[in-house]
Amino acid sequence: MNDLARTPRQIGTIIQRARKKRGWTQTQLAERAGLRQATISLIESGEKPAKLDSILAVLAALDLEFRVGERSKGAGRHIEELF
Amino acid sequence: MNDLARTPRQIGTIIQRARKKRGWTQTQLAERAGLRQATISLIESGEKPAKLDSILAVLAALDLEFRVGERSKGAGRHIEELF
DNA sequence: ACAAATTATGCGCCAAAGCGTATATTGGCC
DNA sequence: GGCCAATATACGCTTTGGCGCATAATTTGT
């Protein structure tokens, strides 16, 4: 994978795609991440900035993780390019 | 680069390394990220969970970015895996 | 089209991140 | 040791993310 995640919205989109890929509902993901369905909804929309802990919990529940790399070194894809 | 970042502490360590690599003080980084020196100190220690926005601002100031990838898989990725 | 499931919002509340300011504490360097 | 830059803490205050609970709004399946 290695999707670029520079903004809360990009992160939300990535999370949503990963969740649907697993066939999970927001409620199911919320349970696994120890959050509420409403919180998942907000995170996926990216409109309200979340806490780092919440994002990390969601990523872990999806078996995903952050990696930190230098910008503009083309090691990832922009999520917008997907459709 | 592409450093693993699963916990706030790991993220803080990465940020600190990148900052020192650039020869910046916490105060300088704070100015560029629109935060306080004290906040940078807390983020680098990773002891107090920060807000996602703060982390993203710091990464951007350091010309870094998050990438999201599957756990337990190497950094250099096969694009074919995605579909 | 209808019912069921899923997702998006609303409201009051609490905990805490970040702020401003200021002060310890540490670390280099001469 | 002594001095100054750099970093870690402190306190009161404001803002807000996430909660519980609930309900709209939307999507999906038959």
Side-chain angles (χ1 to χ4, degrees):
Chain A
M1 258 230 222
N2 272 341
D3 289 312
L4 294 188
R6 293 181 180 174
T7 68
R9 181 171 304 257
Q10 286 176 332
I11 293 174
T13 303
I14 293 169
I15 288 174
Q16 188 178 57
R17 273 208 9 253
R19 174 177 62 81
K20 290 185 176 176
K21 198 170 179 178
R22 287 160 177 73
W24 295 354
T25 66
Q26 289 183 345
T27 303
Q28 288 175 314
L29 177 55
E31 285 169 359
R32 293 172 187 254
L35 301 170
R36 295 181 314 145
Q37 173 265 319
T39 302
I40 301 295
S41 174
L42 290 173
I43 287 177
E44 288 187 355
S45 74
E47 289 173 7
K48 277 196 179 178
K51 276 199 293 189
L52 179 61
D53 282 14
S54 302
I55 301 295
L56 291 175
V58 170
L59 290 182
L62 288 165
D63 205 47
L64 298 176
E65 68 192 356
F66 273 139
R67 295 196 183 91
V68 179
E70 296 181 17
R71 277 182 175 231
S72 60
K73 283 225 167 178
R77 300 173 304 129
H78 288 279
I79 196 69
E80 299 83 29
E81 297 171 359
L82 288 170
F83 294 94
Chain B
M1 256 204 193
N2 271 347
D3 290 312
L4 210 54
R6 292 180 180 175
T7 68
R9 180 169 309 242
Q10 287 175 332
I11 293 174
T13 302
I14 292 169
I15 287 173
Q16 189 178 55
R17 278 218 335 264
R19 174 178 63 80
K20 290 184 175 176
K21 199 169 181 179
R22 285 160 178 71
W24 295 353
T25 66
Q26 289 183 345
T27 304
Q28 288 173 315
L29 176 55
E31 286 170 357
R32 293 173 187 251
L35 300 171
R36 295 180 315 143
Q37 175 265 321
T39 302
I40 300 295
S41 175
L42 290 173
I43 288 176
E44 287 187 355
S45 75
E47 288 171 10
K48 284 192 179 177
K51 278 199 292 187
L52 179 62
D53 283 14
S54 302
I55 303 294
L56 291 175
V58 170
L59 290 182
L62 288 166
D63 206 45
L64 297 176
E65 68 191 356
F66 273 138
R67 296 193 180 92
V68 179
E70 297 180 17
R71 276 178 177 239
S72 62
K73 284 205 175 184
R77 292 270 37 87
H78 307 261
I79 289 183
E80 309 87 79
E81 294 175 4
L82 290 170
F83 292 94

